[in-house]
Amino acid sequence: MVAVDTRRTIDSDPEPEEADTSILDVDELQNLGINAADIQKLRAAGIYAISTVLSTTRRNLLKVKGLSEVKVDKIKEAAGKLINVGFISATEQAHNRRRVIAISTGSKQLDSVLGGGIKTMSITEVFGEYRCGKTQLAHTLCVTTQLPKDLGGAEGKVTYIDTEGTFRPERLRDIAERFGVDADQVCDNISYARALNSEHQMELIEKLGSTFADGSYRLLIVDSIMAQFRVDYCGRGELNERQQKLNQMLGRLNRLAEEYNVAVFMTNQVQSDPGASALFAAADGRKPVGGHVLAHASATRIMLRKGRGEERVAKLQDSPDMPEREATYCIGEGGIQDVA
Ligand SMILES: Nc1ncnc2c1ncn2[C@@H]1O[C@H](COP(=O)(O)OP(=O)(O)OP(=O)(O)O)[C@@H](O)[C@H]1O
């Protein structure tokens, strides 16, 4: 068991140099001549950060109630003065990427395959058959994200979007005990929502700009990304529309990850498809649902399956910076852990 001094979790004041000060609030636009009423309109539309102003197309900004073409141009111009979105040197980009934090999965072997754990600023997807530990991994990350950085944490809060009704706060208590942290504090630092359908899921995600604006969140869980879409869109006739909506949601998730230095962790189901493309299918012919849209949105894809006895196997299938490798882990009272 890892002993953690609870005074070092995020309830205590973080060291000043540890705080993520990179999030620029839309209020900064006031210094560049944008009036408070127009800034309020941006907020009402879920745009809280300068980086969101820049990542939102002019076309979509024009949909914000009360913003004319002239105003949108002025806002874009002002935002462009605050953050450089043009070319920078690779050295500067390397500096930007130093903000990325790897959050421990609870298993050292799995962390090592992932290059330290689940990374902030991008989307990680785990998929696999039932009972292989996707939801247990999500619960374990809820706790490890709150740990001090030198113990594999990110000293941050967590948002959990539950689409299947499988979130269990009592599991968090067991996991908190394993890591020696205060369970009440752990639960207080998690904001939870049950997504009732795919539209509601999108609404919840669209509101996250205001939640993340203070820079204290480091993990967003969506368990599972596809469940509601599979219910709401049936048959081939609705597939195009489903994929379009899914693409929009994933685009939003990707921007949230980058703009607020948050790790987006989503679980996914598998379906049998003997004719599946070798690129996406597991060895047994099962493949994650969501098609190419999902495959391209996830920077890191991990396939989970059952191994010998109680062992589970995680295979890194896609990663921008790590080779394809496997790790074994198991599920215990205290969450995901190494095989003894
Ligand atoms: N307290 C616990 N101690 C040990 N193992 C547990 C505990 N709670 C759940 N498990 C194990 O976790 C597994 C279920 O994992 P999980 O719910 O993460 O699966 P999943 O991959 O999300 O599956 P599904 O697709 O059905 O949601 C089961 O094997 C269960 O026995």
Side-chain angles (χ1 to χ4, degrees):
M1 189 169 93
V2 186
V4 175
D5 182 349
T6 50
R7 286 166 304 178
R8 295 176 63 212
T9 56
I10 58 166
D11 237 10
S12 57
D13 285 340
E15 295 290 318
E17 64 270 23
E18 300 280 353
D20 194 332
T21 53
S22 57
I23 301 164
L24 279 186
D25 194 278
V26 281
D27 270 345
E28 299 284 332
L29 292 170
Q30 271 201 65
N31 301 331
L32 292 160
I34 307 298
N35 68 50
D38 288 340
I39 292 173
Q40 196 44 44
K41 286 171 195 158
L42 291 173
R43 286 190 193 282
I47 300 171
Y48 285 77
I50 298 297
S51 48
T52 316
V53 172
L54 292 166
S55 67
T56 307
T57 58
R58 274 192 170 72
R59 198 166 136 254
N60 283 334
L61 281 179
L62 277 170
K63 291 180 191 161
V64 174
K65 218 168 162 223
L67 290 190
S68 64
E69 234 169 276
V70 176
K71 280 184 176 174
V72 165
D73 283 345
K74 273 192 180 162
I75 290 170
K76 275 276 186 194
E77 195 189 328
K81 284 181 187 156
L82 292 166
I83 298 179
N84 173 17
V85 284
F87 287 101
I88 53 171
S89 70
T91 312
E92 278 174 88
Q93 180 57 2
H95 182 78
N96 290 341
R97 294 228 11 114
R98 266 191 234 141
R99 290 169 55 221
V100 174
I101 306 166
I103 303 168
S104 174
T105 59
S107 153
K108 288 202 166 63
Q109 212 188 114
L110 180 52
D111 288 349
S112 142
V113 165
L114 295 171
I118 304 294
K119 308 263 178 67
T120 59
M121 288 185 117
S122 63
I123 297 181
T124 299
E125 173 196 352
V126 291
F127 65 92
E129 56 185 309
Y130 67 99
R131 275 191 354 105
C132 59
K134 301 182 291 292
T135 300
Q136 297 301 315
L137 179 51
H139 281 69
T140 308
L141 288 166
C142 280
V143 178
T144 55
T145 299
Q146 302 187 39
L147 297 175
K149 287 183 186 158
D150 55 352
L151 293 171
E155 292 161 28
K157 294 184 185 174
V158 178
T159 305
Y160 199 115
I161 297 177
D162 179 8
T163 69
E164 295 178 306
T166 50
F167 179 70
R168 295 289 178 276
E170 55 272 30
R171 285 292 292 130
L172 297 175
R173 298 196 158 269
D174 294 336
I175 300 167
E177 191 177 322
R178 164 188 170 194
F179 288 100
V181 288
D182 183 76
D184 290 332
Q185 194 181 311
V186 161
C187 292
D188 285 348
N189 286 327
I190 297 169
S191 77
Y192 166 85
R194 172 80 163 94
L196 303 173
N197 56 51
S198 59
E199 269 173 24
H200 184 220
Q201 191 173 324
M202 185 61 172
E203 281 164 27
L204 291 169
I205 289 168
E206 275 172 349
K207 283 188 192 137
L208 282 175
S210 67
T211 309
F212 291 168
D214 72 355
S216 64
Y217 282 79
R218 288 290 160 265
L219 177 67
L220 162 60
I221 289 169
V222 186
D223 182 23
S224 75
I225 186 76
M226 290 302 299
Q228 299 288 7
F229 281 97
R230 294 181 89 187
V231 175
D232 294 346
Y233 298 91
C234 308
R236 296 225 151 254
E238 292 182 331
L239 196 60
N240 266 348
E241 194 187 342
R242 183 191 88 173
Q243 292 304 87
Q244 254 177 35
K245 296 276 183 211
L246 179 64
N247 207 9
Q248 276 170 9
M249 182 178 290
L250 294 166
R252 189 77 196 101
L253 287 171
N254 235 323
R255 288 204 299 275
L256 284 170
E258 286 189 34
E259 288 165 11
Y260 297 101
N261 193 14
V262 162
V264 173
F265 176 81
M266 56 193 198
T267 68
N268 194 10
Q269 304 150 329
V270 286
Q271 65 184 13
S272 276
D273 185 356
S277 137
L279 188 61
F280 301 122
D284 58 4
R286 268 182 286 232
K287 62 166 193 172
V289 295
H292 288 74
V293 165
L294 201 58
H296 293 305
S298 314
T300 305
R301 286 198 120 181
I302 309 163
M303 186 187 74
L304 306 182
R305 62 179 158 84
K306 296 196 189 92
R308 274 178 305 163
E310 288 304 304
E311 283 182 22
R312 306 282 196 274
V313 182
K315 183 178 183 204
L316 185 60
Q317 274 212 336
D318 190 5
S319 160
D321 48 19
M322 296 299 291
E324 287 183 20
R325 275 166 56 200
E326 283 191 354
T328 53
Y329 63 95
C330 60
I331 306 162
E333 196 68 26
I336 298 296
Q337 59 191 46
D338 283 317
V339 177

